[in-house]
Amino acid sequence: MLDVNKTLPKDPDDLRQFTALLLAEVKSQAVLIEKLRHQLAGQRHHRFGASSESIEQLQLALENSEIAVAKMTAKLRLPDEEPQTKPKRRPIPDHIPRMEVELTTGDDDCAHCGGGLRRLGEDVTEELEYVPGRFIVNRIVRPRFACSGCEAFTQAALPSRPIERGRPGPSLLAHVLVNKYADHLPLYRQSGIFERDGINIDRSTLADWIGKSTALLEPMADAIGRHVLAGQAIFADDTPVKMLAPGTGKTATARLWAYGRDERPWGSDVPPASWYQFSPDRKGQHPKDHLAKYHGWMHADGYAGFEDLYRSGDIHEVACMAHVRRKFVDVHRAQGSAIADEAIQRIAQLYAVEKEARGSPPDRRAALRQAKAGPIFDDLETWLHAQLPSISGKSPLAGAIRYALTRMMRLRPYLDHGILELDNNTAERAMRSVTIRRKNYLFVGSQTGGRAAAIAYTLIETAKLNDVDPQAWLADTLARIPDYKINRVDDLLPWKNAS
């Protein structure tokens, strides 16, 4: 035990100096404890559930790698390889209902000599299709005819299909895509569900279908990207995604970027959309490449990689009040700080003005903000400056205040421009599906696999934003796009098929 009589100095000046040092140490320890409590509260709040079984994670890793291979094969128009380990194609079980479609040329007479046609036989192509809740088989029967006069042969052409020489119909492909990227159902689980219906479809086969489907749909994703970048104001965010590093057996941290356009808050009838891009890292060059042709406002967080974009003068920054508020919420949750609670209440007043302005035209929104939100915004800034001298500069609360003051300087443009928003929640909502799905997979197998995921997210999330059933729209698009002219793909966009 500490002997106070031997530890404390006798001289009054030495005692005062000792006391000052002791108080400084106590203050330092208090700040450290406060930081640790703050970090612990954050970890508890963001902690994920129990990890999945290792065998499930291995299955997820394999399927993402196989999707990448299939997409690259389709992109480069390479012939499909038949590896020794590829599962053998089994016949479609007889108990699956058949829907027979007979295709004929429509001619009773020979086109060459005018003689009568007699039926020689037929070619039958079975296509496995999916109707929500049950499987069916489309039997595409194409009778072969020969002329009785000149023996000329005629037969209707087989319609183009999403996957040439493949068995899946467009509705089944759409079902697998939506299950994986909208409903977060990994392919090995889908394979198990299909098996319960008596259909044996290996996980690697499903991965091949997704890779080829996203390669076919890539022009649609590009069209959505052009639509997003045509907006006066966009929303940007990114999230980490694990990617297998080639040749190392380890993973690297890649990124999935989301760029959104949503003009509904200011009464515009322009369709909303989300455009996703994949990159192997978070270097600032990637958003520069994505946004090379964009000119306008961009709502974003404080990511330093965006600074070059702002310095160019082509893109103007709008900060995010939701990020500011979140800092104070974390402090209040960890410490019960009265100052943090007051900041949250003041920010709520700004959102109350936004609620009143929602749906109004830009000039009306700007006038309302200048009249009501402007004074609240100014008072919040002044009040935050006044709080800093009264708290420890090293505390999480001080960090939250400094962050708020820095970001509010870059948020001011929203007060004068009715086409801007108070926060970047449009982009954060676009990332929600990615973060939810991240619990269900270990990593993407390659950059090609990451790009396939970006295409799928672009299509599915944009359809959802426009209140279009993504499965029905994708099924229709996959049936039509093989023969569609590339310069007319905009006609297939989800808002064009909303009816």
Side-chain angles (χ1 to χ4, degrees):
M1 179 179 287
L2 185 66
D3 189 335
V4 177
N5 291 326
K6 292 182 179 180
T7 303
L8 293 177
K10 303 296 184 183
D11 183 76
D13 292 336
D14 292 341
L15 183 60
R16 280 192 290 271
Q17 185 179 5
F18 178 83
T19 304
L21 291 172
L22 186 61
L23 288 173
E25 179 65 22
V26 169
K27 184 177 179 180
S28 174
Q29 294 294 325
V31 170
L32 177 60
I33 291 171
E34 186 178 335
K35 286 184 177 179
L36 293 174
R37 287 178 58 198
H38 180 73
Q39 293 172 6
L40 179 60
Q43 289 293 330
R44 285 174 174 170
H45 179 67
H46 295 293
R47 182 181 179 185
F48 289 160
S51 60
S52 303
E53 296 291 336
S54 58
I55 185 63
E56 294 185 355
Q57 296 294 336
L58 177 59
Q59 294 269 17
L60 292 164
L62 286 171
E63 75 182 41
N64 281 288
S65 299
E66 289 161 348
I67 288 172
V69 172
K71 182 176 185 297
M72 184 62 72
T73 300
K75 185 86 172 174
L76 299 178
R77 299 183 181 276
L78 300 174
D80 290 333
E81 294 185 359
E82 298 290 340
Q84 294 181 354
T85 57
K86 186 178 180 66
K88 293 182 178 179
R89 176 179 292 185
R90 297 180 177 89
I92 300 176
D94 293 335
H95 71 272
I96 304 298
R98 261 66 175 174
M99 181 182 297
E100 188 162 306
V101 178
E102 184 170 292
L103 304 178
T104 67
T105 60
D107 297 322
D108 295 325
D109 299 322
C110 177
H112 296 274
C113 71
L117 297 176
R118 69 179 187 279
R119 188 162 183 157
L120 298 178
E122 60 188 26
D123 289 334
V124 177
T125 304
E126 290 204 333
E127 180 183 81
L128 183 63
E129 185 59 287
Y130 184 81
V131 176
R134 64 190 177 92
F135 284 101
I136 63 170
V137 176
N138 290 332
R139 281 178 52 86
I140 303 171
V141 180
R142 297 181 296 134
R144 299 187 303 275
F145 294 92
C147 175
S148 58
C150 69
E151 299 299 323
F153 172 84
T154 183
Q155 184 181 40
L158 183 67
S160 296
R161 304 163 72 194
I163 299 178
E164 292 298 331
R165 297 192 302 115
R167 185 173 283 182
S171 291
L172 179 56
L173 293 174
H175 179 69
V176 173
L177 281 166
V178 170
N179 272 352
K180 182 171 176 63
Y181 294 105
D183 299 330
H184 324 295
L185 192 63
L187 297 185
Y188 78 92
R189 293 180 189 166
Q190 294 191 52
S191 177
I193 292 171
F194 295 155
E195 189 173 2
R196 291 199 297 270
D197 287 333
I199 300 293
N200 191 310
I201 307 176
D202 193 80
R203 173 195 45 75
S204 62
T205 300
L206 296 176
D208 182 73
W209 292 356
I210 284 186
K212 288 182 168 62
S213 297
T214 52
L216 183 64
L217 293 166
E218 189 168 5
M220 299 291 299
D222 293 340
I224 290 173
R226 291 191 296 271
H227 173 78
V228 169
L229 299 185
Q232 300 177 61
I234 63 173
F235 303 82
D237 198 10
D238 68 292
T239 193
V241 178
K242 292 295 184 184
M243 180 185 72
L244 184 64
T248 66
K250 300 179 181 179
T251 59
T253 301
R255 309 299 292 194
L256 199 63
W257 308 78
Y259 302 98
R261 179 183 182 183
D262 190 350
E263 301 173 1
R264 293 173 296 179
W266 43 277
S268 172
D269 58 0
V270 172
S274 291
W275 180 47
Y276 295 81
Q277 291 287 280
F278 177 83
S279 67
D281 51 53
R282 205 193 186 198
K283 293 178 181 177
Q285 185 61 42
H286 300 300
K288 286 179 67 176
D289 293 340
H290 303 157
L291 304 175
K293 297 181 180 180
Y294 178 67
H295 302 274
W297 297 94
M298 185 170 77
H299 301 76
D301 58 17
Y303 168 51
F306 289 144
E307 292 300 323
D308 284 345
L309 293 172
Y310 305 141
R311 281 192 288 267
S312 72
D314 293 331
I315 298 178
H316 308 290
E317 180 184 13
V318 188
C320 174
M321 182 58 77
H323 279 79
V324 172
R325 181 183 180 277
R326 197 170 298 135
K327 298 283 186 182
F328 290 111
V329 169
D330 290 343
V331 172
H332 185 263
R333 184 181 291 117
Q335 304 169 12
S337 166
I339 294 176
D341 184 58
E342 175 71 13
I344 294 169
Q345 298 305 317
R346 288 173 178 262
I347 292 171
Q349 295 176 32
L350 292 173
Y351 277 98
V353 177
E354 288 305 291
K355 184 177 181 180
E356 184 179 350
R358 186 164 297 275
S360 299
D363 55 348
R364 166 64 180 157
R365 281 158 60 92
L368 189 63
R369 288 168 175 173
Q370 290 164 4
K372 295 187 176 183
I376 299 171
F377 196 95
D378 294 339
D379 289 347
L380 176 59
E381 267 191 327
T382 302
W383 179 79
L384 288 173
H385 277 294
Q387 305 310 307
L388 275 177
S390 64
I391 60 177
S392 169
K394 297 181 180 180
S395 66
L397 177 59
I401 292 176
R402 286 192 296 269
Y403 176 83
L405 292 171
T406 300
R407 301 307 295 157
M408 288 178 70
M409 292 171 57
R410 300 189 175 197
L411 185 54
R412 275 196 173 275
Y414 102 96
L415 294 169
D416 302 317
H417 297 83
I419 63 171
L420 304 181
E421 293 297 310
L422 180 58
D423 55 43
N424 191 34
N425 284 350
T426 295
E428 295 201 5
R429 284 192 294 270
M431 280 302 181
R432 192 168 297 159
S433 290
V434 180
T435 55
I436 292 174
R437 179 179 175 250
R438 197 162 50 202
K439 298 180 183 181
N440 288 326
Y441 68 85
L442 187 59
F443 51 76
V444 296
S446 68
Q447 294 187 45
T448 305
R451 285 190 287 269
I455 292 169
Y457 282 127
T458 295
L459 302 173
I460 290 171
E461 294 304 314
T462 297
K464 289 162 61 178
L465 281 173
N466 288 275
D467 297 322
V468 172
D469 176 6
Q471 180 163 320
W473 171 65
L474 281 173
D476 179 67
T477 302
L478 284 165
R480 297 165 66 188
I481 200 170
D483 295 321
Y484 221 76
K485 291 182 178 180
I486 190 69
N487 59 354
R488 294 186 55 203
V489 293
D490 286 12
D491 296 340
L492 298 176
L493 292 173
W495 52 86
K496 299 287 183 69
N497 294 268
S499 59

mmCIF file of all heavy atoms in Angstrom, residues 430-470:
data_model
loop_
_atom_site.group_PDB
_atom_site.id
_atom_site.type_symbol
_atom_site.label_atom_id
_atom_site.label_comp_id
_atom_site.label_asym_id
_atom_site.label_seq_id
_atom_site.Cartn_x
_atom_site.Cartn_y
_atom_site.Cartn_z
ATOM 1 N N ALA A 430 -28.381 3.751 -50.816
ATOM 2 C CA ALA A 430 -27.950 2.911 -51.935
ATOM 3 C C ALA A 430 -26.944 1.858 -51.487
ATOM 4 O O ALA A 430 -26.833 0.790 -52.096
ATOM 5 C CB ALA A 430 -27.341 3.786 -53.036
ATOM 6 N N MET A 431 -26.206 2.146 -50.425
ATOM 7 C CA MET A 431 -25.210 1.203 -49.916
ATOM 8 C C MET A 431 -25.796 0.174 -48.950
ATOM 9 O O MET A 431 -25.120 -0.779 -48.566
ATOM 10 C CB MET A 431 -24.089 1.963 -49.206
ATOM 11 C CG MET A 431 -23.071 2.573 -50.145
ATOM 12 S SD MET A 431 -22.313 1.282 -51.175
ATOM 13 C CE MET A 431 -21.168 2.250 -52.144
ATOM 14 N N ARG A 432 -27.034 0.370 -48.572
ATOM 15 C CA ARG A 432 -27.610 -0.512 -47.548
ATOM 16 C C ARG A 432 -27.645 -1.967 -47.993
ATOM 17 O O ARG A 432 -27.311 -2.875 -47.232
ATOM 18 C CB ARG A 432 -29.012 -0.020 -47.192
ATOM 19 C CG ARG A 432 -29.598 -0.655 -45.946
ATOM 20 C CD ARG A 432 -30.833 0.097 -45.510
ATOM 21 N NE ARG A 432 -30.521 1.473 -45.129
ATOM 22 C CZ ARG A 432 -31.410 2.457 -45.093
ATOM 23 N NH1 ARG A 432 -32.673 2.215 -45.431
ATOM 24 N NH2 ARG A 432 -31.054 3.665 -44.728
ATOM 25 N N SER A 433 -28.039 -2.218 -49.249
ATOM 26 C CA SER A 433 -28.091 -3.600 -49.735
ATOM 27 C C SER A 433 -26.713 -4.239 -49.744
ATOM 28 O O SER A 433 -26.567 -5.430 -49.467
ATOM 29 C CB SER A 433 -28.685 -3.638 -51.153
ATOM 30 O OG SER A 433 -30.061 -3.335 -51.120
ATOM 31 N N VAL A 434 -25.696 -3.435 -50.064
ATOM 32 C CA VAL A 434 -24.327 -3.965 -50.093
ATOM 33 C C VAL A 434 -23.883 -4.362 -48.694
ATOM 34 O O VAL A 434 -23.312 -5.434 -48.482
ATOM 35 C CB VAL A 434 -23.363 -2.928 -50.699
ATOM 36 C CG1 VAL A 434 -21.944 -3.486 -50.736
ATOM 37 C CG2 VAL A 434 -23.812 -2.532 -52.097
ATOM 38 N N THR A 435 -24.136 -3.500 -47.724
ATOM 39 C CA THR A 435 -23.685 -3.785 -46.361
ATOM 40 C C THR A 435 -24.455 -4.951 -45.747
ATOM 41 O O THR A 435 -23.897 -5.735 -44.981
ATOM 42 C CB THR A 435 -23.823 -2.537 -45.474
ATOM 43 O OG1 THR A 435 -25.180 -2.048 -45.530
ATOM 44 C CG2 THR A 435 -22.900 -1.433 -45.964
ATOM 45 N N ILE A 436 -25.734 -5.092 -46.100
ATOM 46 C CA ILE A 436 -26.500 -6.241 -45.599
ATOM 47 C C ILE A 436 -25.970 -7.527 -46.204
ATOM 48 O O ILE A 436 -25.756 -8.526 -45.513
ATOM 49 C CB ILE A 436 -27.998 -6.071 -45.924
ATOM 50 C CG1 ILE A 436 -28.575 -4.916 -45.113
ATOM 51 C CG2 ILE A 436 -28.751 -7.364 -45.616
ATOM 52 C CD1 ILE A 436 -30.011 -4.588 -45.473
ATOM 53 N N ARG A 437 -25.709 -7.505 -47.529
ATOM 54 C CA ARG A 437 -25.228 -8.705 -48.192
ATOM 55 C C ARG A 437 -23.826 -9.081 -47.720
ATOM 56 O O ARG A 437 -23.443 -10.252 -47.757
ATOM 57 C CB ARG A 437 -25.225 -8.488 -49.716
ATOM 58 C CG ARG A 437 -24.717 -9.705 -50.481
ATOM 59 C CD ARG A 437 -24.740 -9.491 -51.981
ATOM 60 N NE ARG A 437 -24.123 -10.643 -52.642
ATOM 61 C CZ ARG A 437 -22.963 -10.610 -53.261
ATOM 62 N NH1 ARG A 437 -22.273 -9.492 -53.301
ATOM 63 N NH2 ARG A 437 -22.470 -11.678 -53.825
ATOM 64 N N ARG A 438 -23.039 -8.083 -47.266
ATOM 65 C CA ARG A 438 -21.669 -8.351 -46.859
ATOM 66 C C ARG A 438 -21.612 -9.369 -45.714
ATOM 67 O O ARG A 438 -20.609 -10.054 -45.524
ATOM 68 C CB ARG A 438 -21.002 -7.036 -46.438
ATOM 69 C CG ARG A 438 -19.497 -7.100 -46.373
ATOM 70 C CD ARG A 438 -18.914 -5.708 -46.402
ATOM 71 N NE ARG A 438 -19.538 -4.838 -45.424
ATOM 72 C CZ ARG A 438 -19.531 -3.507 -45.495
ATOM 73 N NH1 ARG A 438 -18.941 -2.906 -46.508
ATOM 74 N NH2 ARG A 438 -20.112 -2.781 -44.568
ATOM 75 N N LYS A 439 -22.691 -9.486 -44.949
ATOM 76 C CA LYS A 439 -22.729 -10.492 -43.893
ATOM 77 C C LYS A 439 -22.819 -11.907 -44.463
ATOM 78 O O LYS A 439 -22.561 -12.871 -43.768
ATOM 79 C CB LYS A 439 -23.941 -10.237 -42.988
ATOM 80 C CG LYS A 439 -23.916 -8.897 -42.276
ATOM 81 C CD LYS A 439 -25.156 -8.738 -41.412
ATOM 82 C CE LYS A 439 -25.208 -7.393 -40.731
ATOM 83 N NZ LYS A 439 -26.398 -7.229 -39.873
ATOM 84 N N ASN A 440 -23.220 -11.999 -45.739
ATOM 85 C CA ASN A 440 -23.480 -13.307 -46.327
ATOM 86 C C ASN A 440 -22.425 -13.771 -47.308
ATOM 87 O O ASN A 440 -22.622 -14.763 -47.995
ATOM 88 C CB ASN A 440 -24.847 -13.282 -47.035
ATOM 89 C CG ASN A 440 -25.996 -13.241 -46.056
ATOM 90 O OD1 ASN A 440 -25.918 -13.811 -44.983
ATOM 91 N ND2 ASN A 440 -27.057 -12.548 -46.410
ATOM 92 N N TYR A 441 -21.330 -13.038 -47.437
ATOM 93 C CA TYR A 441 -20.253 -13.549 -48.282
ATOM 94 C C TYR A 441 -18.911 -13.142 -47.707
ATOM 95 O O TYR A 441 -18.797 -12.182 -46.960
ATOM 96 C CB TYR A 441 -20.393 -13.094 -49.737
ATOM 97 C CG TYR A 441 -20.186 -11.626 -50.006
ATOM 98 C CD1 TYR A 441 -18.915 -11.109 -50.198
ATOM 99 C CD2 TYR A 441 -21.272 -10.759 -50.101
ATOM 100 C CE1 TYR A 441 -18.715 -9.771 -50.469
ATOM 101 C CE2 TYR A 441 -21.081 -9.416 -50.370
ATOM 102 C CZ TYR A 441 -19.807 -8.923 -50.563
ATOM 103 O OH TYR A 441 -19.625 -7.596 -50.828
ATOM 104 N N LEU A 442 -17.884 -13.880 -48.074
ATOM 105 C CA LEU A 442 -16.558 -13.671 -47.525
ATOM 106 C C LEU A 442 -15.789 -12.645 -48.328
ATOM 107 O O LEU A 442 -15.227 -11.704 -47.790
ATOM 108 C CB LEU A 442 -15.799 -15.001 -47.503
ATOM 109 C CG LEU A 442 -14.431 -15.010 -46.808
ATOM 110 C CD1 LEU A 442 -14.591 -14.598 -45.357
ATOM 111 C CD2 LEU A 442 -13.812 -16.399 -46.903
ATOM 112 N N PHE A 443 -15.764 -12.779 -49.642
ATOM 113 C CA PHE A 443 -15.076 -11.820 -50.497
ATOM 114 C C PHE A 443 -15.485 -12.040 -51.941
ATOM 115 O O PHE A 443 -16.089 -13.056 -52.280
ATOM 116 C CB PHE A 443 -13.552 -11.928 -50.358
ATOM 117 C CG PHE A 443 -13.013 -13.319 -50.518
ATOM 118 C CD1 PHE A 443 -12.901 -13.912 -51.764
ATOM 119 C CD2 PHE A 443 -12.611 -14.057 -49.402
ATOM 120 C CE1 PHE A 443 -12.404 -15.190 -51.911
ATOM 121 C CE2 PHE A 443 -12.110 -15.339 -49.540
ATOM 122 C CZ PHE A 443 -12.008 -15.907 -50.800
ATOM 123 N N VAL A 444 -15.174 -11.054 -52.804
ATOM 124 C CA VAL A 444 -15.346 -11.267 -54.239
ATOM 125 C C VAL A 444 -14.077 -11.910 -54.756
ATOM 126 O O VAL A 444 -12.983 -11.658 -54.264
ATOM 127 C CB VAL A 444 -15.651 -9.954 -54.983
ATOM 128 C CG1 VAL A 444 -16.964 -9.379 -54.526
ATOM 129 C CG2 VAL A 444 -14.529 -8.942 -54.807
ATOM 130 N N GLY A 445 -14.227 -12.763 -55.766
ATOM 131 C CA GLY A 445 -13.086 -13.549 -56.218
ATOM 132 C C GLY A 445 -12.070 -12.771 -57.015
ATOM 133 O O GLY A 445 -10.896 -13.142 -57.054
ATOM 134 N N SER A 446 -12.490 -11.680 -57.679
ATOM 135 C CA SER A 446 -11.576 -10.927 -58.535
ATOM 136 C C SER A 446 -12.230 -9.605 -58.880
ATOM 137 O O SER A 446 -13.380 -9.338 -58.514
ATOM 138 C CB SER A 446 -11.289 -11.706 -59.826
ATOM 139 O OG SER A 446 -12.466 -11.771 -60.614
ATOM 140 N N GLN A 447 -11.483 -8.762 -59.617
ATOM 141 C CA GLN A 447 -12.049 -7.502 -60.066
ATOM 142 C C GLN A 447 -13.228 -7.740 -61.011
ATOM 143 O O GLN A 447 -14.214 -6.990 -60.984
ATOM 144 C CB GLN A 447 -10.978 -6.662 -60.750
ATOM 145 C CG GLN A 447 -9.863 -6.193 -59.812
ATOM 146 C CD GLN A 447 -8.916 -5.225 -60.492
ATOM 147 O OE1 GLN A 447 -9.333 -4.306 -61.189
ATOM 148 N NE2 GLN A 447 -7.624 -5.423 -60.301
ATOM 149 N N THR A 448 -13.143 -8.781 -61.833
ATOM 150 C CA THR A 448 -14.251 -9.097 -62.736
ATOM 151 C C THR A 448 -15.508 -9.461 -61.952
ATOM 152 O O THR A 448 -16.617 -9.042 -62.293
ATOM 153 C CB THR A 448 -13.867 -10.250 -63.676
ATOM 154 O OG1 THR A 448 -12.661 -9.902 -64.366
ATOM 155 C CG2 THR A 448 -14.964 -10.521 -64.685
ATOM 156 N N GLY A 449 -15.340 -10.242 -60.892
ATOM 157 C CA GLY A 449 -16.474 -10.578 -60.036
ATOM 158 C C GLY A 449 -17.046 -9.347 -59.361
ATOM 159 O O GLY A 449 -18.263 -9.221 -59.197
ATOM 160 N N GLY A 450 -16.167 -8.425 -58.945
ATOM 161 C CA GLY A 450 -16.634 -7.186 -58.333
ATOM 162 C C GLY A 450 -17.428 -6.336 -59.310
ATOM 163 O O GLY A 450 -18.454 -5.740 -58.956
ATOM 164 N N ARG A 451 -16.963 -6.288 -60.564
ATOM 165 C CA ARG A 451 -17.691 -5.509 -61.571
ATOM 166 C C ARG A 451 -19.045 -6.149 -61.890
ATOM 167 O O ARG A 451 -20.024 -5.448 -62.162
ATOM 168 C CB ARG A 451 -16.839 -5.368 -62.834
ATOM 169 C CG ARG A 451 -15.706 -4.353 -62.670
ATOM 170 C CD ARG A 451 -15.050 -4.052 -64.000
ATOM 171 N NE ARG A 451 -14.218 -5.149 -64.471
ATOM 172 C CZ ARG A 451 -12.926 -5.278 -64.205
ATOM 173 N NH1 ARG A 451 -12.317 -4.374 -63.454
ATOM 174 N NH2 ARG A 451 -12.230 -6.304 -64.680
ATOM 175 N N ALA A 452 -19.104 -7.477 -61.868
ATOM 176 C CA ALA A 452 -20.392 -8.157 -62.077
ATOM 177 C C ALA A 452 -21.382 -7.775 -60.971
ATOM 178 O O ALA A 452 -22.562 -7.521 -61.234
ATOM 179 C CB ALA A 452 -20.192 -9.667 -62.117
ATOM 180 N N ALA A 453 -20.903 -7.722 -59.732
ATOM 181 C CA ALA A 453 -21.767 -7.316 -58.616
ATOM 182 C C ALA A 453 -22.233 -5.878 -58.796
ATOM 183 O O ALA A 453 -23.402 -5.554 -58.535
ATOM 184 C CB ALA A 453 -21.013 -7.472 -57.294
ATOM 185 N N ALA A 454 -21.334 -4.987 -59.256
ATOM 186 C CA ALA A 454 -21.704 -3.583 -59.460
ATOM 187 C C ALA A 454 -22.807 -3.460 -60.509
ATOM 188 O O ALA A 454 -23.742 -2.657 -60.361
ATOM 189 C CB ALA A 454 -20.476 -2.774 -59.873
ATOM 190 N N ILE A 455 -22.727 -4.253 -61.580
ATOM 191 C CA ILE A 455 -23.761 -4.234 -62.622
ATOM 192 C C ILE A 455 -25.106 -4.691 -62.043
ATOM 193 O O ILE A 455 -26.145 -4.057 -62.262
ATOM 194 C CB ILE A 455 -23.344 -5.132 -63.797
ATOM 195 C CG1 ILE A 455 -22.143 -4.524 -64.534
ATOM 196 C CG2 ILE A 455 -24.515 -5.347 -64.768
ATOM 197 C CD1 ILE A 455 -21.500 -5.465 -65.530
ATOM 198 N N ALA A 456 -25.074 -5.785 -61.298
ATOM 199 C CA ALA A 456 -26.320 -6.318 -60.726
ATOM 200 C C ALA A 456 -26.953 -5.317 -59.755
ATOM 201 O O ALA A 456 -28.169 -5.088 -59.794
ATOM 202 C CB ALA A 456 -26.043 -7.649 -60.021
ATOM 203 N N TYR A 457 -26.143 -4.711 -58.894
ATOM 204 C CA TYR A 457 -26.675 -3.720 -57.955
ATOM 205 C C TYR A 457 -27.260 -2.519 -58.699
ATOM 206 O O TYR A 457 -28.306 -1.982 -58.310
ATOM 207 C CB TYR A 457 -25.586 -3.252 -56.994
ATOM 208 C CG TYR A 457 -25.295 -4.223 -55.880
ATOM 209 C CD1 TYR A 457 -24.002 -4.666 -55.630
ATOM 210 C CD2 TYR A 457 -26.315 -4.693 -55.051
ATOM 211 C CE1 TYR A 457 -23.727 -5.550 -54.605
ATOM 212 C CE2 TYR A 457 -26.055 -5.574 -54.028
ATOM 213 C CZ TYR A 457 -24.753 -6.007 -53.805
ATOM 214 O OH TYR A 457 -24.488 -6.882 -52.789
ATOM 215 N N THR A 458 -26.583 -2.056 -59.745
ATOM 216 C CA THR A 458 -27.078 -0.908 -60.510
ATOM 217 C C THR A 458 -28.478 -1.183 -61.046
ATOM 218 O O THR A 458 -29.395 -0.353 -60.912
ATOM 219 C CB THR A 458 -26.125 -0.603 -61.682
ATOM 220 O OG1 THR A 458 -24.850 -0.196 -61.163
ATOM 221 C CG2 THR A 458 -26.678 0.516 -62.555
ATOM 222 N N LEU A 459 -28.674 -2.346 -61.633
ATOM 223 C CA LEU A 459 -29.957 -2.676 -62.244
ATOM 224 C C LEU A 459 -31.048 -2.887 -61.202
ATOM 225 O O LEU A 459 -32.156 -2.344 -61.316
ATOM 226 C CB LEU A 459 -29.803 -3.923 -63.109
ATOM 227 C CG LEU A 459 -28.761 -3.834 -64.231
ATOM 228 C CD1 LEU A 459 -28.590 -5.196 -64.893
ATOM 229 C CD2 LEU A 459 -29.154 -2.788 -65.257
ATOM 230 N N ILE A 460 -30.738 -3.659 -60.185
ATOM 231 C CA ILE A 460 -31.761 -4.032 -59.199
ATOM 232 C C ILE A 460 -32.152 -2.846 -58.338
ATOM 233 O O ILE A 460 -33.343 -2.577 -58.115
ATOM 234 C CB ILE A 460 -31.250 -5.208 -58.343
ATOM 235 C CG1 ILE A 460 -31.183 -6.479 -59.206
ATOM 236 C CG2 ILE A 460 -32.145 -5.428 -57.137
ATOM 237 C CD1 ILE A 460 -30.487 -7.643 -58.539
ATOM 238 N N GLU A 461 -31.168 -2.092 -57.836
ATOM 239 C CA GLU A 461 -31.484 -0.969 -56.954
ATOM 240 C C GLU A 461 -32.191 0.154 -57.712
ATOM 241 O O GLU A 461 -33.064 0.824 -57.157
ATOM 242 C CB GLU A 461 -30.211 -0.449 -56.289
ATOM 243 C CG GLU A 461 -29.575 -1.437 -55.334
ATOM 244 C CD GLU A 461 -30.528 -1.905 -54.238
ATOM 245 O OE1 GLU A 461 -31.215 -1.041 -53.644
ATOM 246 O OE2 GLU A 461 -30.594 -3.115 -53.982
ATOM 247 N N THR A 462 -31.842 0.379 -58.977
ATOM 248 C CA THR A 462 -32.536 1.400 -59.768
ATOM 249 C C THR A 462 -33.981 0.993 -60.019
ATOM 250 O O THR A 462 -34.894 1.835 -59.959
ATOM 251 C CB THR A 462 -31.798 1.645 -61.097
ATOM 252 O OG1 THR A 462 -30.485 2.152 -60.820
ATOM 253 C CG2 THR A 462 -32.543 2.645 -61.958
ATOM 254 N N ALA A 463 -34.211 -0.282 -60.296
ATOM 255 C CA ALA A 463 -35.590 -0.750 -60.471
ATOM 256 C C ALA A 463 -36.401 -0.522 -59.193
ATOM 257 O O ALA A 463 -37.536 -0.027 -59.239
ATOM 258 C CB ALA A 463 -35.594 -2.228 -60.855
ATOM 259 N N LYS A 464 -35.826 -0.839 -58.054
ATOM 260 C CA LYS A 464 -36.525 -0.650 -56.780
ATOM 261 C C LYS A 464 -36.833 0.818 -56.525
ATOM 262 O O LYS A 464 -37.915 1.165 -56.018
ATOM 263 C CB LYS A 464 -35.691 -1.237 -55.643
ATOM 264 C CG LYS A 464 -35.648 -2.762 -55.651
ATOM 265 C CD LYS A 464 -34.513 -3.319 -54.832
ATOM 266 C CE LYS A 464 -34.574 -2.942 -53.375
ATOM 267 N NZ LYS A 464 -33.470 -3.557 -52.602
ATOM 268 N N LEU A 465 -35.891 1.714 -56.870
ATOM 269 C CA LEU A 465 -36.122 3.151 -56.677
ATOM 270 C C LEU A 465 -37.318 3.639 -57.492
ATOM 271 O O LEU A 465 -37.996 4.596 -57.091
ATOM 272 C CB LEU A 465 -34.878 3.941 -57.085
ATOM 273 C CG LEU A 465 -33.721 3.998 -56.093
ATOM 274 C CD1 LEU A 465 -32.513 4.678 -56.724
ATOM 275 C CD2 LEU A 465 -34.137 4.741 -54.825
ATOM 276 N N ASN A 466 -37.586 3.000 -58.622
ATOM 277 C CA ASN A 466 -38.678 3.404 -59.494
ATOM 278 C C ASN A 466 -39.937 2.563 -59.290
ATOM 279 O O ASN A 466 -40.830 2.565 -60.144
ATOM 280 C CB ASN A 466 -38.222 3.330 -60.954
ATOM 281 C CG ASN A 466 -37.235 4.423 -61.308
ATOM 282 O OD1 ASN A 466 -37.624 5.529 -61.652
ATOM 283 N ND2 ASN A 466 -35.950 4.132 -61.202
ATOM 284 N N ASP A 467 -39.985 1.850 -58.156
ATOM 285 C CA ASP A 467 -41.143 1.007 -57.814
ATOM 286 C C ASP A 467 -41.446 -0.015 -58.901
ATOM 287 O O ASP A 467 -42.612 -0.315 -59.204
ATOM 288 C CB ASP A 467 -42.382 1.878 -57.552
ATOM 289 C CG ASP A 467 -42.195 2.796 -56.354
ATOM 290 O OD1 ASP A 467 -41.585 2.358 -55.363
ATOM 291 O OD2 ASP A 467 -42.654 3.956 -56.412
ATOM 292 N N VAL A 468 -40.391 -0.527 -59.517
ATOM 293 C CA VAL A 468 -40.517 -1.567 -60.534
ATOM 294 C C VAL A 468 -40.027 -2.886 -59.937
ATOM 295 O O VAL A 468 -38.965 -2.924 -59.304
ATOM 296 C CB VAL A 468 -39.684 -1.210 -61.785
ATOM 297 C CG1 VAL A 468 -39.652 -2.367 -62.775
ATOM 298 C CG2 VAL A 468 -40.247 0.042 -62.444
ATOM 299 N N ASP A 469 -40.799 -3.938 -60.117
ATOM 300 C CA ASP A 469 -40.394 -5.256 -59.629
ATOM 301 C C ASP A 469 -39.122 -5.676 -60.362
ATOM 302 O O ASP A 469 -39.149 -5.908 -61.584
ATOM 303 C CB ASP A 469 -41.515 -6.256 -59.902
ATOM 304 C CG ASP A 469 -41.146 -7.688 -59.504
ATOM 305 O OD1 ASP A 469 -40.069 -7.891 -58.915
ATOM 306 O OD2 ASP A 469 -41.936 -8.600 -59.810
ATOM 307 N N PRO A 470 -37.978 -5.778 -59.673
ATOM 308 C CA PRO A 470 -36.729 -6.072 -60.382
ATOM 309 C C PRO A 470 -36.736 -7.417 -61.083
ATOM 310 O O PRO A 470 -36.147 -7.561 -62.156
ATOM 311 C CB PRO A 470 -35.659 -6.012 -59.283
ATOM 312 C CG PRO A 470 -36.400 -6.150 -57.997
ATOM 313 C CD PRO A 470 -37.755 -5.582 -58.234
#
